Amino acid sequence: MISKYSDQKEKIKEEEIEEAAREIVKGNLVLFPTETVYGIGANALDEEAVKKIFIAKGRAQDNPLIVHVSNMQMVEDIVESIGDLERKLIQRFWPGPLTIIFQRKSKEVIPNIVTANLDTVGVRMPSNGIAKELIEKAGVPIAAPSANVSGKPSGTKVEDIITELDGKVEYILDGGFTDIGLESTVIKVEDNKINILRPGKVTKEQLEEVAREVKVDKHVLGRVEQNEVVSSPGMKYRHYAPNTKCMMIYSENEEKMINEINKVTNQMKQEDKKVLVIGRKEHLNSYLAERKWNVGETLEEVAKNIFTLLRKVDKEQVDLIIIEGVGEKELGLAITNRLIRACAYNYLVI
Ligand code: TXA
Ligand code: MG
């Protein structure tokens, strides 16, 4: 399939990718772009190399990594079998921002550290040209989480993450601002049905064109209670959250949403507290807050900009950040999933 996403492969010289690939083979870490977000990659077959990822990110050992491949042979080598529905999904969405959870072949192929001892493995074939070539040249599948210290928003530009990852990776491939800006859709096929464990650019609506039934896991929008069993370990962890208190406010009725945001802003003002509103361009004039940031116009723009904005908010020294919600349709589900976590479930839908 021809890549639908632009990438900035022309920004990188062939030799740079070759050098990065050699670092992967040597067992070192490489920061590289994908069409979704940047990844911190290591040879997925090398336990010692993968250990370095967990140390660099401060990541919990029970949170498995996605294995990135560049061809179907790599998939066949690590998974037990590929079902009919999975094949259809691969045909339609790979290479691209879809991670499929398969039964793993055998514990010896992919080390336990990658899958956090689960009997499944998450696999994705990225479409970004730099990522594809890096995997191809390394000749091994690459385990890579999003490039960020655990808990922070995923890196969508090297400038945003260079400080927190400096000295922790051996090589950096700078491919510019990532195209999508949110991590891949993570799904698992069960009884011929698709379960969405993490929403992303490949939407529920698109998956419904391929499968009879598509479910959204209850923890995609719901809070995980203490000791609750989850389908994907990543759901348990604090993610994307700035230090400043955040709140998401959404209504399908724009006027109602704007009024509510202004009401909260006024309440804060009365207490002498400062508010920053992050909203769609066309709404900014209607807000009473002194500080307002434009998150974009379309859902695609919101997805692309949100992490880089969330990384900047703490510098603003405000008391509350109010973020406009975007609803749950299409790419909105993925954005809402990230926003309610960034806001530590402090949100209002009216
Ligand atoms: O777009 C992406 O997916 C990016 C780029 C770099 O490819 N990667 C990424 O990785 O977001 P990470 O590690 O930040 O998130 C992977 C998510 C986690 O929530 C993890 O729990 C889940 O995928 N996951 C991985 N393997 C799994 C498995 N076997 N079963 C269930 N969930 C799994
Ligand atoms: Mg992550």
mmCIF file of all heavy atoms in Angstrom, residues 4-6 35-37 92-93 95-99 124 127 178-187 196 198-207 298-304 329-335 337-338:
data_model
loop_
_atom_site.group_PDB
_atom_site.id
_atom_site.type_symbol
_atom_site.label_atom_id
_atom_site.label_comp_id
_atom_site.label_asym_id
_atom_site.label_seq_id
_atom_site.Cartn_x
_atom_site.Cartn_y
_atom_site.Cartn_z
ATOM 1 N N LYS A 4 0.029 6.896 3.081
ATOM 2 C CA LYS A 4 -0.928 8.000 3.004
ATOM 3 C C LYS A 4 -0.411 9.200 3.793
ATOM 4 O O LYS A 4 -0.976 10.253 3.767
ATOM 5 C CB LYS A 4 -2.267 7.569 3.611
ATOM 6 C CG LYS A 4 -2.960 6.482 2.839
ATOM 7 C CD LYS A 4 -4.304 6.153 3.466
ATOM 8 C CE LYS A 4 -4.191 5.487 4.821
ATOM 9 N NZ LYS A 4 -3.839 4.119 4.880
ATOM 10 N N TYR A 5 0.633 8.990 4.558
ATOM 11 C CA TYR A 5 1.100 10.052 5.436
ATOM 12 C C TYR A 5 2.407 10.612 4.915
ATOM 13 O O TYR A 5 3.280 9.879 4.485
ATOM 14 C CB TYR A 5 1.277 9.509 6.855
ATOM 15 C CG TYR A 5 0.035 8.824 7.322
ATOM 16 C CD1 TYR A 5 -0.054 7.441 7.366
ATOM 17 C CD2 TYR A 5 -1.092 9.570 7.653
ATOM 18 C CE1 TYR A 5 -1.222 6.817 7.757
ATOM 19 C CE2 TYR A 5 -2.266 8.957 8.040
ATOM 20 C CZ TYR A 5 -2.322 7.576 8.091
ATOM 21 O OH TYR A 5 -3.479 6.967 8.468
ATOM 22 N N SER A 6 2.531 11.912 5.028
ATOM 23 C CA SER A 6 3.765 12.522 4.544
ATOM 24 C C SER A 6 4.854 12.265 5.576
ATOM 25 O O SER A 6 4.584 12.080 6.745
ATOM 26 C CB SER A 6 3.561 14.021 4.396
ATOM 27 O OG SER A 6 3.348 14.597 5.651
ATOM 28 N N GLU A 35 5.132 7.980 11.806
ATOM 29 C CA GLU A 35 4.049 8.871 11.373
ATOM 30 C C GLU A 35 3.183 9.315 12.555
ATOM 31 O O GLU A 35 2.470 10.312 12.458
ATOM 32 C CB GLU A 35 3.186 8.201 10.291
ATOM 33 C CG GLU A 35 2.384 6.987 10.726
ATOM 34 C CD GLU A 35 3.224 5.708 10.771
ATOM 35 O OE1 GLU A 35 4.460 5.799 10.818
ATOM 36 O OE2 GLU A 35 2.615 4.628 10.748
ATOM 37 N N THR A 36 3.258 8.588 13.691
ATOM 38 C CA THR A 36 2.429 8.952 14.848
ATOM 39 C C THR A 36 3.188 9.900 15.769
ATOM 40 O O THR A 36 2.908 11.092 15.822
ATOM 41 C CB THR A 36 1.999 7.691 15.618
ATOM 42 O OG1 THR A 36 3.171 6.957 16.019
ATOM 43 C CG2 THR A 36 1.091 6.807 14.782
ATOM 44 N N VAL A 37 4.160 9.349 16.510
ATOM 45 C CA VAL A 37 5.010 10.129 17.416
ATOM 46 C C VAL A 37 6.424 9.555 17.289
ATOM 47 O O VAL A 37 6.624 8.533 16.629
ATOM 48 C CB VAL A 37 4.516 10.010 18.886
ATOM 49 C CG1 VAL A 37 3.111 10.570 19.052
ATOM 50 C CG2 VAL A 37 4.566 8.564 19.402
ATOM 51 N N ARG A 92 -5.538 -3.397 4.787
ATOM 52 C CA ARG A 92 -6.157 -2.081 4.691
ATOM 53 C C ARG A 92 -5.310 -0.990 5.380
ATOM 54 O O ARG A 92 -5.229 0.126 4.901
ATOM 55 C CB ARG A 92 -7.558 -2.179 5.310
ATOM 56 C CG ARG A 92 -8.257 -0.895 5.602
ATOM 57 C CD ARG A 92 -9.115 -0.424 4.425
ATOM 58 N NE ARG A 92 -9.507 0.960 4.633
ATOM 59 C CZ ARG A 92 -10.695 1.350 5.064
ATOM 60 N NH1 ARG A 92 -11.638 0.454 5.280
ATOM 61 N NH2 ARG A 92 -10.957 2.620 5.246
ATOM 62 N N PHE A 93 -4.719 -1.311 6.523
ATOM 63 C CA PHE A 93 -4.135 -0.230 7.330
ATOM 64 C C PHE A 93 -2.607 -0.252 7.475
ATOM 65 O O PHE A 93 -2.046 0.657 8.076
ATOM 66 C CB PHE A 93 -4.768 -0.205 8.722
ATOM 67 C CG PHE A 93 -6.247 0.051 8.702
ATOM 68 C CD1 PHE A 93 -7.154 -0.957 8.981
ATOM 69 C CD2 PHE A 93 -6.739 1.310 8.375
ATOM 70 C CE1 PHE A 93 -8.523 -0.725 8.959
ATOM 71 C CE2 PHE A 93 -8.107 1.560 8.346
ATOM 72 C CZ PHE A 93 -8.997 0.543 8.640
ATOM 73 N N PRO A 95 1.282 -0.347 5.669
ATOM 74 C CA PRO A 95 1.925 0.288 6.810
ATOM 75 C C PRO A 95 1.103 1.494 7.266
ATOM 76 O O PRO A 95 0.515 2.192 6.434
ATOM 77 C CB PRO A 95 3.272 0.739 6.245
ATOM 78 C CG PRO A 95 3.096 0.803 4.784
ATOM 79 C CD PRO A 95 2.021 -0.173 4.419
ATOM 80 N N GLY A 96 1.082 1.724 8.582
ATOM 81 C CA GLY A 96 0.301 2.841 9.104
ATOM 82 C C GLY A 96 0.084 2.750 10.601
ATOM 83 O O GLY A 96 0.616 1.849 11.260
ATOM 84 N N PRO A 97 -0.743 3.673 11.131
ATOM 85 C CA PRO A 97 -0.834 3.840 12.583
ATOM 86 C C PRO A 97 -1.775 2.865 13.283
ATOM 87 O O PRO A 97 -2.650 3.274 14.043
ATOM 88 C CB PRO A 97 -1.339 5.285 12.713
ATOM 89 C CG PRO A 97 -2.140 5.497 11.477
ATOM 90 C CD PRO A 97 -1.497 4.708 10.393
ATOM 91 N N LEU A 98 -1.625 1.578 13.019
ATOM 92 C CA LEU A 98 -2.453 0.564 13.671
ATOM 93 C C LEU A 98 -1.560 -0.511 14.295
ATOM 94 O O LEU A 98 -0.762 -1.136 13.599
ATOM 95 C CB LEU A 98 -3.395 -0.099 12.656
ATOM 96 C CG LEU A 98 -4.303 -1.178 13.253
ATOM 97 C CD1 LEU A 98 -5.414 -0.567 14.113
ATOM 98 C CD2 LEU A 98 -4.919 -2.058 12.163
ATOM 99 N N THR A 99 -1.712 -0.710 15.604
ATOM 100 C CA THR A 99 -0.987 -1.774 16.303
ATOM 101 C C THR A 99 -1.958 -2.915 16.558
ATOM 102 O O THR A 99 -3.058 -2.696 17.075
ATOM 103 C CB THR A 99 -0.420 -1.259 17.647
ATOM 104 O OG1 THR A 99 0.522 -0.225 17.367
ATOM 105 C CG2 THR A 99 0.256 -2.369 18.442
ATOM 106 N N ARG A 124 3.365 -3.464 14.910
ATOM 107 C CA ARG A 124 2.950 -2.373 14.019
ATOM 108 C C ARG A 124 3.981 -2.196 12.921
ATOM 109 O O ARG A 124 5.184 -2.334 13.161
ATOM 110 C CB ARG A 124 2.832 -1.126 14.893
ATOM 111 C CG ARG A 124 2.809 0.187 14.191
ATOM 112 C CD ARG A 124 2.280 1.226 15.150
ATOM 113 N NE ARG A 124 3.154 2.385 15.256
ATOM 114 C CZ ARG A 124 3.271 3.318 14.327
ATOM 115 N NH1 ARG A 124 2.587 3.222 13.197
ATOM 116 N NH2 ARG A 124 4.085 4.350 14.510
ATOM 117 N N SER A 127 4.506 3.582 8.600
ATOM 118 C CA SER A 127 4.580 4.023 7.204
ATOM 119 C C SER A 127 5.633 5.110 7.002
ATOM 120 O O SER A 127 6.016 5.382 5.873
ATOM 121 C CB SER A 127 3.218 4.551 6.746
ATOM 122 O OG SER A 127 2.866 5.683 7.514
ATOM 123 N N THR A 178 6.121 15.203 13.704
ATOM 124 C CA THR A 178 5.459 13.976 13.220
ATOM 125 C C THR A 178 4.083 14.314 12.634
ATOM 126 O O THR A 178 3.419 15.248 13.070
ATOM 127 C CB THR A 178 5.312 12.909 14.324
ATOM 128 O OG1 THR A 178 4.595 13.474 15.409
ATOM 129 C CG2 THR A 178 6.657 12.407 14.796
ATOM 130 N N ASP A 179 3.686 13.517 11.677
ATOM 131 C CA ASP A 179 2.539 13.848 10.860
ATOM 132 C C ASP A 179 1.207 13.796 11.614
ATOM 133 O O ASP A 179 0.376 14.694 11.506
ATOM 134 C CB ASP A 179 2.507 12.850 9.691
ATOM 135 C CG ASP A 179 1.702 13.372 8.543
ATOM 136 O OD1 ASP A 179 1.728 14.590 8.324
ATOM 137 O OD2 ASP A 179 1.030 12.569 7.881
ATOM 138 N N ILE A 180 0.999 12.747 12.414
ATOM 139 C CA ILE A 180 -0.301 12.545 13.067
ATOM 140 C C ILE A 180 -0.329 13.183 14.460
ATOM 141 O O ILE A 180 -1.286 13.856 14.824
ATOM 142 C CB ILE A 180 -0.639 11.035 13.128
ATOM 143 C CG1 ILE A 180 -0.778 10.489 11.704
ATOM 144 C CG2 ILE A 180 -1.913 10.797 13.936
ATOM 145 C CD1 ILE A 180 -0.862 8.977 11.607
ATOM 146 N N GLY A 181 0.707 12.944 15.249
ATOM 147 C CA GLY A 181 0.802 13.614 16.544
ATOM 148 C C GLY A 181 0.227 12.847 17.713
ATOM 149 O O GLY A 181 0.439 13.222 18.862
ATOM 150 N N LEU A 182 -0.536 11.791 17.476
ATOM 151 C CA LEU A 182 -1.036 10.914 18.544
ATOM 152 C C LEU A 182 -0.542 9.508 18.258
ATOM 153 O O LEU A 182 -0.373 9.138 17.093
ATOM 154 C CB LEU A 182 -2.559 10.870 18.569
ATOM 155 C CG LEU A 182 -3.337 12.143 18.869
ATOM 156 C CD1 LEU A 182 -4.834 11.839 18.852
ATOM 157 C CD2 LEU A 182 -2.951 12.735 20.214
ATOM 158 N N GLU A 183 -0.383 8.700 19.294
ATOM 159 C CA GLU A 183 0.115 7.341 19.118
ATOM 160 C C GLU A 183 -0.896 6.476 18.355
ATOM 161 O O GLU A 183 -2.086 6.793 18.281
ATOM 162 C CB GLU A 183 0.404 6.680 20.472
ATOM 163 C CG GLU A 183 1.256 7.496 21.405
ATOM 164 C CD GLU A 183 0.431 8.408 22.286
ATOM 165 O OE1 GLU A 183 -0.717 8.731 21.914
ATOM 166 O OE2 GLU A 183 0.945 8.812 23.336
ATOM 167 N N SER A 184 -0.395 5.335 17.871
ATOM 168 C CA SER A 184 -1.207 4.443 17.033
ATOM 169 C C SER A 184 -2.449 3.912 17.749
ATOM 170 O O SER A 184 -2.492 3.832 18.981
ATOM 171 C CB SER A 184 -0.351 3.246 16.594
ATOM 172 O OG SER A 184 0.062 2.504 17.729
ATOM 173 N N THR A 185 -3.433 3.532 16.960
ATOM 174 C CA THR A 185 -4.602 2.811 17.448
ATOM 175 C C THR A 185 -4.122 1.412 17.852
ATOM 176 O O THR A 185 -3.415 0.768 17.074
ATOM 177 C CB THR A 185 -5.637 2.669 16.304
ATOM 178 O OG1 THR A 185 -5.901 3.975 15.783
ATOM 179 C CG2 THR A 185 -6.920 2.011 16.777
ATOM 180 N N VAL A 186 -4.477 0.961 19.053
ATOM 181 C CA VAL A 186 -4.096 -0.398 19.480
ATOM 182 C C VAL A 186 -5.363 -1.242 19.548
ATOM 183 O O VAL A 186 -6.331 -0.866 20.212
ATOM 184 C CB VAL A 186 -3.388 -0.390 20.861
ATOM 185 C CG1 VAL A 186 -3.060 -1.814 21.311
ATOM 186 C CG2 VAL A 186 -2.129 0.458 20.834
ATOM 187 N N ILE A 187 -5.359 -2.371 18.822
ATOM 188 C CA ILE A 187 -6.559 -3.226 18.814
ATOM 189 C C ILE A 187 -6.205 -4.685 19.026
ATOM 190 O O ILE A 187 -5.063 -5.112 18.807
ATOM 191 C CB ILE A 187 -7.325 -3.120 17.468
ATOM 192 C CG1 ILE A 187 -6.430 -3.562 16.292
ATOM 193 C CG2 ILE A 187 -7.852 -1.730 17.217
ATOM 194 C CD1 ILE A 187 -7.006 -4.715 15.559
ATOM 195 N N ILE A 196 -11.012 -2.069 20.655
ATOM 196 C CA ILE A 196 -10.059 -0.948 20.625
ATOM 197 C C ILE A 196 -9.531 -0.721 22.039
ATOM 198 O O ILE A 196 -10.283 -0.395 22.957
ATOM 199 C CB ILE A 196 -10.723 0.345 20.098
ATOM 200 C CG1 ILE A 196 -11.263 0.126 18.674
ATOM 201 C CG2 ILE A 196 -9.753 1.529 20.154
ATOM 202 C CD1 ILE A 196 -11.949 1.342 18.068
ATOM 203 N N ARG A 198 -6.641 1.248 22.552
ATOM 204 C CA ARG A 198 -6.218 2.656 22.561
ATOM 205 C C ARG A 198 -6.641 3.255 21.223
ATOM 206 O O ARG A 198 -6.210 2.767 20.180
ATOM 207 C CB ARG A 198 -4.697 2.765 22.746
ATOM 208 C CG ARG A 198 -4.223 4.231 22.776
ATOM 209 C CD ARG A 198 -2.737 4.370 23.019
ATOM 210 N NE ARG A 198 -1.955 3.927 21.884
ATOM 211 C CZ ARG A 198 -0.616 3.865 21.864
ATOM 212 N NH1 ARG A 198 0.069 4.203 22.945
ATOM 213 N NH2 ARG A 198 0.007 3.457 20.785
ATOM 214 N N PRO A 199 -7.484 4.290 21.236
ATOM 215 C CA PRO A 199 -7.910 4.870 19.952
ATOM 216 C C PRO A 199 -6.801 5.717 19.341
ATOM 217 O O PRO A 199 -5.936 6.228 20.048
ATOM 218 C CB PRO A 199 -9.106 5.746 20.341
ATOM 219 C CG PRO A 199 -8.903 6.077 21.785
ATOM 220 C CD PRO A 199 -8.074 4.980 22.397
ATOM 221 N N GLY A 200 -6.825 5.842 18.026
ATOM 222 C CA GLY A 200 -5.806 6.626 17.337
ATOM 223 C C GLY A 200 -6.318 7.078 15.991
ATOM 224 O O GLY A 200 -7.535 7.147 15.760
ATOM 225 N N LYS A 201 -5.405 7.338 15.086
ATOM 226 C CA LYS A 201 -5.752 7.874 13.766
ATOM 227 C C LYS A 201 -6.625 6.900 12.951
ATOM 228 O O LYS A 201 -7.464 7.313 12.165
ATOM 229 C CB LYS A 201 -4.453 8.187 13.021
ATOM 230 C CG LYS A 201 -4.598 8.601 11.609
ATOM 231 C CD LYS A 201 -5.034 10.046 11.485
ATOM 232 C CE LYS A 201 -5.161 10.446 10.034
ATOM 233 N NZ LYS A 201 -5.715 11.782 9.898
ATOM 234 N N VAL A 202 -6.371 5.599 13.115
ATOM 235 C CA VAL A 202 -7.279 4.621 12.488
ATOM 236 C C VAL A 202 -8.503 4.564 13.407
ATOM 237 O O VAL A 202 -8.426 4.118 14.550
ATOM 238 C CB VAL A 202 -6.613 3.239 12.356
ATOM 239 C CG1 VAL A 202 -7.631 2.202 11.894
ATOM 240 C CG2 VAL A 202 -5.445 3.302 11.378
ATOM 241 N N THR A 203 -9.626 5.069 12.915
ATOM 242 C CA THR A 203 -10.771 5.312 13.797
ATOM 243 C C THR A 203 -11.705 4.104 13.888
ATOM 244 O O THR A 203 -11.648 3.192 13.058
ATOM 245 C CB THR A 203 -11.595 6.507 13.273
ATOM 246 O OG1 THR A 203 -12.088 6.168 11.969
ATOM 247 C CG2 THR A 203 -10.753 7.769 13.194
ATOM 248 N N LYS A 204 -12.581 4.153 14.888
ATOM 249 C CA LYS A 204 -13.602 3.116 15.069
ATOM 250 C C LYS A 204 -14.441 3.015 13.785
ATOM 251 O O LYS A 204 -14.736 1.924 13.308
ATOM 252 C CB LYS A 204 -14.487 3.491 16.252
ATOM 253 C CG LYS A 204 -15.641 2.553 16.509
ATOM 254 C CD LYS A 204 -16.314 2.893 17.832
ATOM 255 C CE LYS A 204 -17.317 1.840 18.232
ATOM 256 N NZ LYS A 204 -18.645 2.044 17.642
ATOM 257 N N GLU A 205 -14.796 4.171 13.219
ATOM 258 C CA GLU A 205 -15.620 4.199 12.009
ATOM 259 C C GLU A 205 -14.910 3.473 10.861
ATOM 260 O O GLU A 205 -15.534 2.731 10.107
ATOM 261 C CB GLU A 205 -15.923 5.651 11.603
ATOM 262 C CG GLU A 205 -16.877 6.406 12.544
ATOM 263 C CD GLU A 205 -16.202 6.994 13.785
ATOM 264 O OE1 GLU A 205 -15.010 6.715 14.039
ATOM 265 O OE2 GLU A 205 -16.886 7.729 14.518
ATOM 266 N N GLN A 206 -13.594 3.664 10.741
ATOM 267 C CA GLN A 206 -12.844 2.984 9.666
ATOM 268 C C GLN A 206 -12.761 1.484 9.936
ATOM 269 O O GLN A 206 -12.860 0.680 9.012
ATOM 270 C CB GLN A 206 -11.425 3.549 9.569
ATOM 271 C CG GLN A 206 -11.372 4.921 8.928
ATOM 272 C CD GLN A 206 -9.971 5.485 8.970
ATOM 273 O OE1 GLN A 206 -9.310 5.482 10.006
ATOM 274 N NE2 GLN A 206 -9.494 5.968 7.840
ATOM 275 N N LEU A 207 -12.568 1.114 11.204
ATOM 276 C CA LEU A 207 -12.473 -0.314 11.545
ATOM 277 C C LEU A 207 -13.804 -1.012 11.275
ATOM 278 O O LEU A 207 -13.842 -2.188 10.899
ATOM 279 C CB LEU A 207 -12.042 -0.487 13.002
ATOM 280 C CG LEU A 207 -10.610 -0.016 13.319
ATOM 281 C CD1 LEU A 207 -10.375 0.078 14.824
ATOM 282 C CD2 LEU A 207 -9.572 -0.939 12.679
ATOM 283 N N THR A 298 -9.075 21.833 12.482
ATOM 284 C CA THR A 298 -9.672 20.514 12.235
ATOM 285 C C THR A 298 -9.233 19.537 13.331
ATOM 286 O O THR A 298 -8.278 19.808 14.079
ATOM 287 C CB THR A 298 -9.154 19.967 10.898
ATOM 288 O OG1 THR A 298 -7.723 19.860 11.017
ATOM 289 C CG2 THR A 298 -9.502 20.880 9.748
ATOM 290 N N LEU A 299 -9.905 18.386 13.386
ATOM 291 C CA LEU A 299 -9.495 17.348 14.349
ATOM 292 C C LEU A 299 -8.056 16.918 14.078
ATOM 293 O O LEU A 299 -7.291 16.644 15.011
ATOM 294 C CB LEU A 299 -10.422 16.135 14.256
ATOM 295 C CG LEU A 299 -11.829 16.290 14.839
ATOM 296 C CD1 LEU A 299 -12.638 15.030 14.598
ATOM 297 C CD2 LEU A 299 -11.776 16.614 16.329
ATOM 298 N N GLU A 300 -7.676 16.867 12.808
ATOM 299 C CA GLU A 300 -6.298 16.476 12.440
ATOM 300 C C GLU A 300 -5.294 17.460 13.043
ATOM 301 O O GLU A 300 -4.261 17.064 13.558
ATOM 302 C CB GLU A 300 -6.117 16.441 10.915
ATOM 303 C CG GLU A 300 -6.577 15.147 10.252
ATOM 304 C CD GLU A 300 -8.079 14.951 10.274
ATOM 305 O OE1 GLU A 300 -8.822 15.968 10.366
ATOM 306 O OE2 GLU A 300 -8.524 13.788 10.216
ATOM 307 N N GLU A 301 -5.635 18.752 12.970
ATOM 308 C CA GLU A 301 -4.716 19.754 13.528
ATOM 309 C C GLU A 301 -4.657 19.659 15.048
ATOM 310 O O GLU A 301 -3.595 19.799 15.644
ATOM 311 C CB GLU A 301 -5.152 21.166 13.108
ATOM 312 C CG GLU A 301 -4.803 21.474 11.671
ATOM 313 C CD GLU A 301 -5.426 22.784 11.164
ATOM 314 O OE1 GLU A 301 -5.971 23.557 11.980
ATOM 315 O OE2 GLU A 301 -5.371 23.000 9.951
ATOM 316 N N VAL A 302 -5.815 19.423 15.678
ATOM 317 C CA VAL A 302 -5.830 19.299 17.144
ATOM 318 C C VAL A 302 -4.939 18.117 17.551
ATOM 319 O O VAL A 302 -4.112 18.230 18.453
ATOM 320 C CB VAL A 302 -7.278 19.099 17.674
ATOM 321 C CG1 VAL A 302 -7.269 18.888 19.184
ATOM 322 C CG2 VAL A 302 -8.163 20.284 17.308
ATOM 323 N N ALA A 303 -5.098 16.980 16.851
ATOM 324 C CA ALA A 303 -4.300 15.785 17.168
ATOM 325 C C ALA A 303 -2.815 16.094 17.039
ATOM 326 O O ALA A 303 -2.004 15.724 17.888
ATOM 327 C CB ALA A 303 -4.681 14.635 16.245
ATOM 328 N N LYS A 304 -2.468 16.791 16.001
ATOM 329 C CA LYS A 304 -1.056 17.052 15.736
ATOM 330 C C LYS A 304 -0.449 18.013 16.763
ATOM 331 O O LYS A 304 0.707 17.888 17.136
ATOM 332 C CB LYS A 304 -0.915 17.624 14.315
ATOM 333 C CG LYS A 304 0.505 17.825 13.891
ATOM 334 C CD LYS A 304 0.622 17.959 12.400
ATOM 335 C CE LYS A 304 2.068 18.304 12.055
ATOM 336 N NZ LYS A 304 2.393 18.092 10.681
ATOM 337 N N LYS A 329 -16.456 11.476 18.028
ATOM 338 C CA LYS A 329 -16.567 10.946 16.664
ATOM 339 C C LYS A 329 -15.208 10.941 15.978
ATOM 340 O O LYS A 329 -14.399 11.835 16.172
ATOM 341 C CB LYS A 329 -17.515 11.822 15.851
ATOM 342 C CG LYS A 329 -18.954 11.657 16.275
ATOM 343 C CD LYS A 329 -19.889 12.154 15.177
ATOM 344 C CE LYS A 329 -21.279 12.359 15.717
ATOM 345 N NZ LYS A 329 -21.527 13.703 16.218
ATOM 346 N N GLU A 330 -14.992 9.906 15.165
ATOM 347 C CA GLU A 330 -13.766 9.784 14.366
ATOM 348 C C GLU A 330 -12.513 10.030 15.206
ATOM 349 O O GLU A 330 -12.388 9.459 16.272
ATOM 350 C CB GLU A 330 -13.879 10.684 13.136
ATOM 351 C CG GLU A 330 -15.002 10.137 12.258
ATOM 352 C CD GLU A 330 -15.462 11.049 11.152
ATOM 353 O OE1 GLU A 330 -15.048 12.210 11.111
ATOM 354 O OE2 GLU A 330 -16.258 10.573 10.334
ATOM 355 N N LEU A 331 -11.625 10.914 14.733
ATOM 356 C CA LEU A 331 -10.380 11.155 15.465
ATOM 357 C C LEU A 331 -10.627 11.765 16.853
ATOM 358 O O LEU A 331 -9.749 11.766 17.717
ATOM 359 C CB LEU A 331 -9.495 12.062 14.592
ATOM 360 C CG LEU A 331 -8.045 12.270 14.973
ATOM 361 C CD1 LEU A 331 -7.313 10.961 15.194
ATOM 362 C CD2 LEU A 331 -7.335 13.095 13.904
ATOM 363 N N GLY A 332 -11.848 12.277 17.071
ATOM 364 C CA GLY A 332 -12.212 12.873 18.364
ATOM 365 C C GLY A 332 -12.054 11.890 19.517
ATOM 366 O O GLY A 332 -11.659 12.275 20.624
ATOM 367 N N LEU A 333 -12.336 10.603 19.281
ATOM 368 C CA LEU A 333 -12.229 9.606 20.351
ATOM 369 C C LEU A 333 -10.789 9.518 20.864
ATOM 370 O O LEU A 333 -10.551 9.459 22.071
ATOM 371 C CB LEU A 333 -12.701 8.235 19.836
ATOM 372 C CG LEU A 333 -12.699 7.099 20.855
ATOM 373 C CD1 LEU A 333 -13.749 7.331 21.950
ATOM 374 C CD2 LEU A 333 -12.954 5.753 20.172
ATOM 375 N N ALA A 334 -9.841 9.525 19.933
ATOM 376 C CA ALA A 334 -8.427 9.441 20.327
ATOM 377 C C ALA A 334 -7.994 10.704 21.077
ATOM 378 O O ALA A 334 -7.291 10.632 22.087
ATOM 379 C CB ALA A 334 -7.548 9.237 19.097
ATOM 380 N N ILE A 335 -8.439 11.853 20.599
ATOM 381 C CA ILE A 335 -8.062 13.112 21.256
ATOM 382 C C ILE A 335 -8.666 13.144 22.660
ATOM 383 O O ILE A 335 -7.995 13.466 23.639
ATOM 384 C CB ILE A 335 -8.519 14.328 20.417
ATOM 385 C CG1 ILE A 335 -7.844 14.313 19.037
ATOM 386 C CG2 ILE A 335 -8.228 15.639 21.146
ATOM 387 C CD1 ILE A 335 -8.446 15.287 18.024
ATOM 388 N N ASN A 337 -9.541 10.643 24.556
ATOM 389 C CA ASN A 337 -8.832 9.671 25.401
ATOM 390 C C ASN A 337 -7.563 10.288 25.993
ATOM 391 O O ASN A 337 -7.262 10.117 27.175
ATOM 392 C CB ASN A 337 -8.521 8.427 24.556
ATOM 393 C CG ASN A 337 -7.511 7.497 25.190
ATOM 394 O OD1 ASN A 337 -6.311 7.615 24.960
ATOM 395 N ND2 ASN A 337 -7.986 6.584 26.015
ATOM 396 N N ARG A 338 -6.813 11.053 25.183
ATOM 397 C CA ARG A 338 -5.571 11.677 25.683
ATOM 398 C C ARG A 338 -5.901 12.834 26.619
ATOM 399 O O ARG A 338 -5.247 13.028 27.639
ATOM 400 C CB ARG A 338 -4.696 12.204 24.547
ATOM 401 C CG ARG A 338 -4.306 11.226 23.418
ATOM 402 C CD ARG A 338 -3.946 9.839 23.822
ATOM 403 N NE ARG A 338 -3.370 9.057 22.746
ATOM 404 C CZ ARG A 338 -4.063 8.218 21.947
ATOM 405 N NH1 ARG A 338 -5.359 8.029 22.118
ATOM 406 N NH2 ARG A 338 -3.432 7.546 20.986
#
